[in-house]
Amino acid sequence: MTVISFSIGAPFAYGDMGAGADIGTGMDVLDAALLIAQEVPGGVPALAQRMGVSANTLQHKLNPNNATHHLTLKEAMALQQVSGRPYVLHAMAAGLDYICHRSRPDDAQGDPLEAFMRVQQSMGELTAAAADALRDGGDVSKNEKRRVEHFANEAMASIAHLVSTVAARVPQRGEG
């Protein structure tokens, strides 16, 4: 069995992420890249320095009206890595009718009972977040929605780790 996951370090969990909070709703990938530059403290110069590229060139590549300079896939990846904002990834996924969620390392370390316990814990946190959001029957705030999404992502990651832990215990051919 092959398990594929994307790991994206995020400095936030489900709190208010500003204008980029709804990237998954179909934002254009170039607009998503520009939004990263607008949200990062220090803007394009700070990003360029951390990426090891010319600020002037990066500014041209992020300018939606510039037809001569284009952001490469490697640059888009670096932009997201140094900023901690996976907006281009989410815009690409939404454009292809997919979703992305953060994956975290398997903290069960191969212990099947620990992996199972972590699934149950994450499901409890997801249930509590959903109950809090839906309790009054009225509108749900963006923060409540992000909280539910966060715990849903955590539950999906813990379920994937449980499946991997179980799969690792299946005997190979000739072993039994």
Side-chain angles (χ1 to χ4, degrees):
M1 175 175 84
T2 302
V3 176
I4 299 172
S5 66
F6 292 92
S7 294
I8 302 170
F12 48 83
Y14 50 80
D16 189 358
M17 295 172 8
D22 293 319
I23 293 302
T25 60
M27 178 178 275
D28 178 78
V29 292
L30 296 176
D31 290 341
L34 180 59
L35 181 61
I36 292 171
Q38 291 171 345
E39 286 190 358
V40 168
V44 172
L47 283 170
Q49 182 180 20
R50 290 165 55 194
M51 291 171 62
V53 298
S54 161
N56 191 35
T57 302
L58 183 59
Q59 182 68 55
H60 288 301
K61 290 181 177 192
L62 294 174
N63 181 349
N65 298 318
N66 189 323
T68 60
H69 292 74
H70 304 284
L71 195 66
T72 67
L73 291 174
K74 285 186 178 188
E75 290 167 334
M77 183 73 167
L79 182 73
Q80 295 171 97
Q81 286 174 325
V82 302
S83 70
R85 290 168 167 82
Y87 298 170
V88 176
L89 172 68
H90 286 275
M92 290 175 125
L96 296 169
D97 199 26
Y98 283 82
I99 59 167
C100 296
H101 61 87
R102 188 180 61 83
S103 178
R104 58 177 164 72
D106 179 6
D107 53 7
Q109 299 172 349
D111 181 342
L113 294 177
E114 183 73 14
F116 181 73
M117 185 275 309
R118 297 220 184 258
V119 167
Q120 296 307 310
Q121 179 181 355
S122 65
M123 292 303 292
E125 291 168 338
L126 172 59
T127 300
D132 289 345
L134 301 172
R135 177 162 284 130
D136 297 330
D139 291 342
V140 174
S141 73
K142 287 183 178 183
N143 279 345
E144 288 172 322
K145 175 185 161 268
R146 282 190 290 274
R147 181 173 177 238
V148 170
E149 287 172 341
H150 168 74
F151 285 118
N153 290 337
E154 291 293 313
M156 287 185 273
S158 66
I159 290 168
H161 294 307
L162 175 62
V163 170
S164 295
T165 301
V166 170
R169 297 176 62 98
V170 173
Q172 300 298 316
R173 287 186 176 223
E175 290 182 19

